[in-house]
Amino acid sequence: MKLGIVGLPNVGKSTLFNSLTKVGAESANYPFCTIDPNVGVVMVPDERLKLLADLYHSAKVTPAVIEFVDIAGLVKGASKGEGLGNQFLANIREVDAVVHVVRCFEDPNVIHVDGSVDPVRDIETINLELIFSDIEILERRIAKTVRGARNDKTLAKELELLNRLKEHLEAGNLAITYQTDDEDEQKWLAEYNLLTAKPVIFAANVSEDDLADDGASNQYVQEVREHAKEQHSEVFVICAQIEQEIAELEDDEKKMFLEDLGLSESGLEKLIKASYRLLGLISYLTAGETETRAWTIKLGTKAPQAAGKIHSDFERGFIRAEVVNYKDLLECGSLAAAKDKGLVGLEGKDYVVKDGDVILFRFNV
Ligand SMILES: Nc1nc2c(ncn2[C@@H]2O[C@H](COP(=O)(O)OP(=O)(O)O)[C@@H](O)[C@H]2O)c(=O)[nH]1
Ligand SMILES: [Mg+2]
């Protein structure tokens, strides 16, 4: 999974990015791999892994990971620019979801590019650039389709969609709010890979004082929440500056620090949970002496496809899955004890994998 961090300059994107990737640096299995300075890999915090690893005395623990990209340079007019601006937009095209950082903190020392704090105006500025960029893509596609559409029913249908989508965007709407039940249309929409069709999570960057009540007393945050509802997005409240301080701490210090602030989890944890929800993701687990590991799948994935995440042979040669909920396994103390109690299911190829399933796949190739 790849998340792109976007927003106007000076809203706290890099501060957030740095705090996220610093946390990643602590992982032994995924050392902070700097693919380039703006890309970082972060492990998904998952307390179930440690418990299972203790049970199995696992030599290795491998969490699921998320890749973050700090996408700078989105400003008014970015979609018009020949060079750089468009390059930034191209970076967004590659991500699964967008984390849109908006400034909800007052600080006279940090300049705002538009002179004042106004998160909804900022969101609209960025959205407009994304919309312009999408319209350009649609126009190019229309130009390619128009000739063939005269003699080809499928192309004619696609052209209708393209024109309807273009109107939708020209009216200031995002592609994600374009609703269709038509399977062809859904397929084409996925192909176009429009920026405004991507799921968005807003990160409302507040000052430290606004953290404890989750931004409830911050008027800007309320405005962002209203706006997010309209565009089917989630909001989470962070203080990027504090997040950076938290990232420097050891685990037990971290807990105390968060408690002092009246928080139960760090911004990173909130962000990862929000992205899992938004993208409809869950994790199943594999556990053993060699390795205990979390695997990310889409909600609704069946056993063979889930097995395919580990290795294509597991999917191809899938026979069955031995499945036990991690809590049951921990309570029983061993797989054998869980079996005795009838808590281990033998599941076939139609089994839909659940969050927290510990699975042993049987396969034959
Ligand atoms: N007061 C305050 N300043 C912040 C916060 N987050 C970031 N900043 C400051 O705002 C400036 C711009 O932050 P940066 O992360 O570089 O913004 P970017 O341009 O969006 O990447 C820096 O001086 C940060 O220290 C915050 O939560 N509160
Ligand atoms: Mg930056």
Side-chain angles (χ1 to χ4, degrees), residues 12 15 110 142 154 160 171 194 203 213-214 230 271 319 342 348:
T15 310
V110 180
I142 288 170
T154 314
E160 265 178 48
L194 298 175
D213 69 352
D214 206 33
E230 285 166 31
L271 172 55
I319 300 169

Side-chain angles (χ1 to χ4, degrees), residues 72-147:
L74 260 191
V75 288
K76 211 175 274 176
S79 62
K80 296 275 177 295
E82 287 296 309
L84 277 180
N86 261 318
Q87 183 52 47
F88 299 131
L89 290 163
N91 289 337
I92 306 176
R93 239 167 254 295
E94 291 163 20
V95 304
D96 299 303
V98 169
V99 180
H100 188 155
V101 183
V102 282
R103 176 165 167 179
C104 296
F105 67 86
E106 304 269 9
D107 186 339
N109 296 319
V110 180
I111 291 170
H112 191 293
V113 282
D114 286 317
S116 62
V117 178
D118 184 346
V120 172
R121 175 201 60 204
D122 292 355
I123 291 170
E124 279 165 356
T125 302
I126 295 281
N127 279 353
L128 212 54
E129 293 307 319
L130 304 182
I131 288 173
F132 284 147
S133 173
D134 280 349
I135 290 176
E136 231 181 85
I137 291 204
L138 292 175
E139 279 171 347
R140 254 180 269 149
R141 189 96 185 193
I142 288 170
K144 264 206 291 195
T145 315
V146 99
R147 188 198 293 252

